[in-house]
Amino acid sequence: MAWRSCPEPQGSAQDSLMKSLLLCLMAAALFLGGCSAEAFREMEHKGGPFDYDIDSARAYLLEQLEEKYGIPFAVVGEETLENYGPLAGATYTCEAAPVDAPERVTTALVSQTKYQKVRDNYALYFFKEDAEAQAIDLCENAESIRSYGVALKLPQTPRTWSPEDDLDDFLQTSGAYLDIKIYLEEGKSDEEYIDLILPLLEAVYQLPANSRLSVLEAEKKYLYWAPVSVFGEEPPQLPTKEKMLEEMEIARMM
């Protein structure tokens, strides 16, 4: 892995959206049925691809991963089974990895209803070395950078990618992005930091992947943070120094 500092934890947008939708379904059922939220959540969904049982859910997810990638997987980290009631059923989430490559950890999930096809981010391992290479080179050759981390991130997806797929297609269509974390020397003025950040930001605009750029002077002391989309209809534009000052003030509140 290319990180030279600790990566930040990532969340799942799809999982959050699913939970919001399920809460709405629960509220409607409670209103119509007059039962408590606790009682509703204890009610099981019937007819799903696995039982409301962690052994059954685990076996189903591992079978799905093996079918998707052609290799056996095992659970190597945390696992949870959460029930959302009889309408939406249960969702099982775990950290899994190939039996022969336990360091290649992926977060995967399946549900009894909406997400019966496994969603995971294992495909990032097919592309991470090539995708991270230019960002690493950028950071290695920038004299202003004290330390850095680069990591390819990928949202959980039902799509099946393979090592033979085109890297550019993957970077443009999968939702993958480069998480770039840069540390600069401490104790400089805002104007001095802006003069260092703008060239770095311009270089990130030239990378062949969307990015999330974090610039810090110390751990948890942000100078600048921004998502960078290079696949939009218009190329990204450098902010003015006045805009940079505003964005630095916002970043310092993170």
Side-chain angles (χ1 to χ4, degrees):
M1 188 172 186
W3 275 101
R4 299 192 181 179
S5 55
C6 293
E8 298 176 340
Q10 70 176 50
S12 170
Q14 295 100 332
D15 206 24
S16 297
L17 177 60
M18 180 182 180
K19 287 183 178 181
S20 297
L21 293 172
L22 294 177
L23 287 173
C24 292
L25 288 172
M26 288 174 60
L30 289 171
F31 177 77
L32 294 174
C35 64
S36 70
E38 183 177 354
F40 183 86
R41 290 179 70 90
E42 290 300 317
M43 297 171 66
E44 294 187 23
H45 173 79
K46 302 299 182 181
F50 58 88
D51 297 330
Y52 180 46
D53 170 86
I54 199 161
D55 292 329
S56 175
R58 183 191 303 118
Y60 177 75
L61 181 141
L62 294 177
E63 180 183 2
Q64 285 269 299
L65 284 175
E66 182 169 359
E67 181 179 333
K68 188 173 182 178
Y69 296 108
I71 53 175
F73 282 74
V75 174
V76 296
E78 294 184 1
E79 56 181 346
T80 61
L81 179 63
E82 187 167 359
N83 192 28
Y84 294 96
L87 299 179
T91 294
Y92 172 71
T93 305
C94 73
E95 293 178 330
V99 172
D100 293 334
E103 74 283 357
R104 290 190 161 195
V105 179
T106 179
T107 301
L109 72 84
V110 289
S111 75
Q112 290 179 313
T113 53
K114 185 175 181 180
Y115 297 144
Q116 293 187 11
K117 185 175 181 181
V118 68
R119 304 176 74 91
D120 62 274
N121 58 3
Y122 179 69
L124 70 86
Y125 294 104
F126 301 150
F127 305 99
K128 68 182 278 79
E129 184 175 349
D130 290 337
E132 293 172 359
Q134 289 192 39
I136 292 173
D137 187 61
L138 182 163
C139 294
E140 288 282 355
N141 290 288
E143 295 181 0
S144 59
I145 294 177
R146 175 164 55 93
S147 62
Y148 69 90
V150 174
L152 181 67
K153 299 296 181 81
L154 177 66
Q156 293 168 343
T157 175
R159 178 168 176 176
T160 302
W161 293 92
S162 77
E164 289 73 35
D165 287 321
D166 181 71
L167 174 62
D168 290 338
D169 181 45
F170 172 78
L171 293 175
Q172 292 181 38
T173 64
S174 68
Y177 65 94
L178 293 169
D179 195 0
I180 305 172
K181 194 173 185 179
I182 289 172
Y183 288 86
L184 302 179
E185 294 294 336
E186 297 183 60
K188 297 183 181 295
S189 68
D190 285 352
E191 288 72 20
E192 288 175 313
Y193 280 129
I194 288 173
D195 288 339
L196 296 176
I197 294 171
L198 283 174
L200 294 174
L201 187 56
E202 186 173 20
V204 170
Y205 289 172
Q206 306 307 311
L207 295 175
N210 292 330
S211 304
R212 184 179 69 182
L213 176 64
S214 304
V215 183
L216 304 91
E217 56 178 326
E219 193 62 38
K220 297 183 180 179
K221 292 181 66 176
Y222 282 81
L223 292 166
Y224 181 79
W225 182 92
V228 177
S229 176
V230 299
F231 298 126
E233 293 182 3
E234 298 292 334
Q237 300 294 317
L238 279 177
T240 63
K241 289 189 176 184
E242 290 75 16
K243 182 64 174 176
M244 282 292 298
L245 281 171
E246 295 177 9
E247 294 182 357
M248 287 174 68
E249 290 180 9
I250 294 172
R252 286 189 169 112
M253 291 186 265
M254 294 178 63

